[in-house]
Amino acid sequence: MPFLGLPDISPASLLRNRWVSLGVTAAAAAQIGAVWAGVGGWPCPVLGLTGVPCPGCGLTRAAVALARGRWGESLATHAFAPLLLLALAAFAAAALLPRRQRDAFAAAAERLERRTRATAVLLAALLLYWSARVLFVPGAFGR
């Protein structure tokens, strides 16, 4: 739902748009594929500018470890990797589904969001997780 004239960037609206879903899927596939192949991915701009890792730092490496079946390594690198892969699967599905099924899928995501406020809860959890790693876990963002 738009707020103060801003565009609607809710998960449901993003899933509804085939081009956004395709773009997210393509960018994620490129990043994960590059890290999987060992050539590295896009560097974190937040880390580069501030010297402080962002809340997502390590997610690609964790997702690759998870896809390779190395659960322990994945969760030690970034605990949100399973949720990232689940979200990317949703975007990939939305990119491939015919319009009617994609709209139904987005509507289901919207109902889930209204009932649970999952986006806000996950964002808060990610920020708490990041804060704990930055403040209390030396070397948590090691490369």
Side-chain angles (χ1 to χ4, degrees), residues 2-26:
F3 178 72
L4 298 176
L6 298 174
D8 184 4
I9 58 168
S10 67
S13 72
L14 298 176
L15 289 170
R16 230 176 233 110
N17 186 317
R18 179 183 306 277
W19 295 110
V20 169
S21 294
L22 209 58
V24 168
T25 302

Side-chain angles (χ1 to χ4, degrees), residues 18-106:
R18 179 183 306 277
W19 295 110
V20 169
S21 294
L22 209 58
V24 168
T25 302
Q31 174 75 354
I32 290 171
V35 172
W36 187 296
V39 296
W42 297 298
C44 175
V46 174
L47 180 62
L49 290 172
T50 67
V52 177
C54 78
C57 275
L59 262 173
T60 304
R61 288 179 284 121
V64 168
L66 185 59
R68 289 180 170 160
R70 299 194 307 245
W71 281 82
E73 178 186 336
S74 173
L75 295 176
T77 303
H78 203 297
F80 279 67
L83 295 173
L84 173 70
L85 291 180
L86 196 61
L88 293 176
F91 276 105
L96 297 174
L97 287 171
R99 182 175 184 100
R100 181 177 290 169
Q101 286 86 355
R102 187 174 62 253
D103 286 344
F105 184 57

